[in-house]
Amino acid sequence: MKRIVLVVCDGHRDDLVQASLCPAICGLGRESIRFGHHRSVYPSTTRVASASIATGCRPARHGLHGNTMGLVSADGVQVHDVGPPGFRAAMRAATGATLRAQTMAERLAAHGGSIVFSNVSPGGAYFQDPDGHGHVYHRAGSYGPGEIAIAGDDALSVSHDGAGDRAMTERFCREVLVERRPALAVLWLCEPDHAMHANILGSPAHHAAIAAADACVARVAETVRALERRGDEILLLVGSDHGQESIETAVPVTERLVAAGLKESLDSPEVAVAPQGSAGLVYLAPRAADRIAAIVDCLRAQDEIAEIHAGAALAEIGMAASGCLAIAFSMAKRDAPNGFGVPGHTHVVADSAKTPRAGIGQHGGLGRYEQSPFLMLRPPGGAAGRVETRATSIIDIAPTALGFLGLPAAGMDGRALPLR
Ligand SMILES: [Zn+2]
């Protein structure tokens, strides 16, 4: 039976896929097609990327707006963190559903099934399969089809770091790849993203996290090659969901809207700002809908904000004006290298839930580096390594996977990638 194995090294930038930092990933590249112009989605955050990889769709179609997102309530719009396990229930209560596009897990439920092992946030894990069509294993709770909880030693209990990634990978290879053999097996590592959020990009701690992820990829690649020698036909995809940039300053966007008289108070529900790291979303309740032009003007006047998309122009970045979403913006960038020679700086949206430190990594916007994940595709038996130069996106992974399995990929925004 044909199978898909997908490994995501969260946050690993394409320009840091270098033999000195990640020899196993680069070694895999020599027997794979590597995609040289690969992009994330907007916003370039893990939870949205997870939903986009799972569905092959941009947020306009699948409906998950960000790592935080506004949900319409009786008096306006409330911003929710998509990370905690309870968010899906809040999304269902507010919108009647979770994702509005089918996931690979749903499409494969009757065609060999899916198993996801993820060590990112609960939201990042569960939006691979938010309605329980297959298996999702995460430290906050593991579930089988029908959202049946998996208990005891069968649940995934690993630390949220590189050591946890490694323990998860060992079990994934032994149990999922060798024994259970689902049509789709996903391994989503928290590194190097987890370390990049706490360390200067290019620092020894960042490099150690890349090496940790690389060791996990080595283990998976070795397992896939061994299974092939036994006759298995496996398409191995190894990549990331987004990159990162170095933080310059945190900009109090909400405070500035209040100061400009465009929002009643910091927590008033008629205008809501949902921070996405180096990007942000603005929701307008119907009674504040006429403020859209004034708010766009106010955002345009901020030096730290670059691109702004509002109303129908949201479609240009794969977003849609639904659920009171009115405006999406990305913070200004600077290409210069940091002290470790890693290029790309960004301002971020101040977020009461986090205290960003200048120099550490962040992502979420349309910047060159945060929008540069990597992707390599190893067809069964391997290929002559080459670089594909046409523009590709993380939304192309799902149609590629389904096409390889001989299943239709209708209703997706992405396109199937070449397998040779
Ligand atoms: Zn991140």
Side-chain angles (χ1 to χ4, degrees):
M1 195 185 88
K2 288 183 167 183
R3 292 196 278 154
I4 305 290
V5 177
L6 169 63
V7 181
V8 179
C9 306
D10 204 292
H12 195 25
R13 283 170 45 154
D14 186 61
D15 63 326
L16 299 181
V17 178
Q18 300 172 5
S20 59
L21 298 174
C22 46
I25 293 173
C26 290
L28 188 67
R30 287 191 287 277
E31 51 192 81
S32 303
I33 300 165
R34 186 156 163 201
F35 296 90
H37 291 93
H38 193 57
R39 293 291 174 265
S40 188
V41 292
Y42 176 92
S44 51
T45 61
T46 294
R47 296 159 203 164
V48 171
S50 178
S52 292
I53 288 174
T55 60
C57 295
R58 298 186 185 89
R61 195 169 332 201
H62 65 58
L64 186 72
H65 294 171
N67 262 8
T68 66
M69 120 173 222
L71 294 176
V72 179
S73 61
D75 60 349
V77 179
Q78 206 69 46
V79 173
H80 291 250
D81 186 346
V82 175
F87 174 76
R88 285 172 299 163
M91 191 180 186
R92 284 187 190 111
T95 71
T98 59
L99 298 180
R100 298 196 309 261
Q102 281 192 316
T103 59
M104 286 194 279
E106 182 173 1
R107 292 170 185 260
L108 292 172
H111 300 279
S114 63
I115 301 178
V116 177
F117 272 36
S118 175
N119 201 23
V120 295
S121 69
Y126 298 141
F127 272 98
Q128 280 286 291
D129 178 17
D131 299 311
H133 293 282
H135 293 81
V136 178
Y137 288 76
H138 186 270
R139 59 183 187 279
S142 301
Y143 299 91
E147 297 185 72
I148 304 294
I150 296 166
D153 288 347
D154 286 341
L156 184 66
S157 174
V158 296
S159 54
H160 183 202
D161 55 18
D165 281 352
R166 185 62 202 234
M168 177 175 77
T169 300
E170 289 300 325
R171 180 172 163 193
F172 177 82
C173 289
R174 190 178 65 243
E175 176 184 318
V176 180
L177 298 187
V178 176
E179 293 167 15
R180 296 171 67 181
R181 312 158 73 85
L184 172 67
V186 178
L187 179 72
W188 198 308
L189 309 172
C190 73
E191 298 291 13
D193 185 81
H194 183 251
M196 294 166 86
H197 280 294
N199 294 281
I200 306 291
L201 300 192
S203 65
H206 178 195
H207 286 179
I210 294 173
D214 191 58
C216 295
V217 171
R219 183 78 179 83
V220 172
E222 158 198 312
T223 305
V224 166
R225 291 186 192 106
L227 288 167
E228 271 181 0
R229 288 193 288 274
R230 288 173 19 183
D232 287 16
E233 201 175 348
I234 297 171
L235 175 63
L236 173 61
L237 295 140
V238 177
S240 54
D241 51 344
H242 56 73
Q244 290 213 9
E245 315 239 351
S246 301
I247 294 177
E248 297 225 87
T249 67
V251 181
V253 175
T254 303
E255 284 80 350
R256 290 184 186 178
L257 292 179
V258 173
L262 295 167
K263 174 167 162 57
E264 281 152 25
S265 67
L266 288 179
D267 53 4
S268 63
E270 92 290 6
V271 175
V273 178
Q276 311 296 331
S278 52
L281 306 174
V282 181
Y283 295 80
L284 300 179
R287 68 178 184 278
D290 60 354
R291 291 181 216 170
I292 186 167
I295 291 175
V296 167
D297 286 345
C298 178
L299 296 174
R300 267 196 222 296
Q302 316 295 323
D303 290 342
E304 306 95 332
I305 295 177
E307 297 92 339
I308 300 170
H309 292 80
L314 287 167
E316 294 168 14
I317 52 169
M319 303 292 282
S322 66
C324 291
L325 177 62
I327 304 165
F329 59 92
S330 176
M331 305 304 282
K333 315 295 169 190
R334 191 164 58 86
D335 206 45
N338 71 2
F340 288 105
V342 176
H345 290 73
T346 183
H347 296 282
V348 298
V349 179
D351 182 347
S352 57
K354 297 183 188 101
T355 46
R357 185 159 56 89
I360 64 171
Q362 186 53 282
H363 53 96
L366 294 166
R368 175 174 166 190
Y369 300 100
E370 61 195 346
Q371 279 289 335
S372 294
F374 78 102
L375 180 68
M376 42 187 68
L377 177 160
R378 182 188 182 278
R386 69 177 181 90
V387 178
E388 171 78 30
T389 53
R390 76 160 151 116
T392 61
S393 163
I394 59 171
I395 59 173
D396 298 332
I397 292 172
T400 304
L402 291 179
F404 175 75
L405 297 173
L407 296 170
M412 292 185 181
D413 294 327
R415 296 175 306 169
L417 300 169
L419 298 183
R420 291 285 165 193

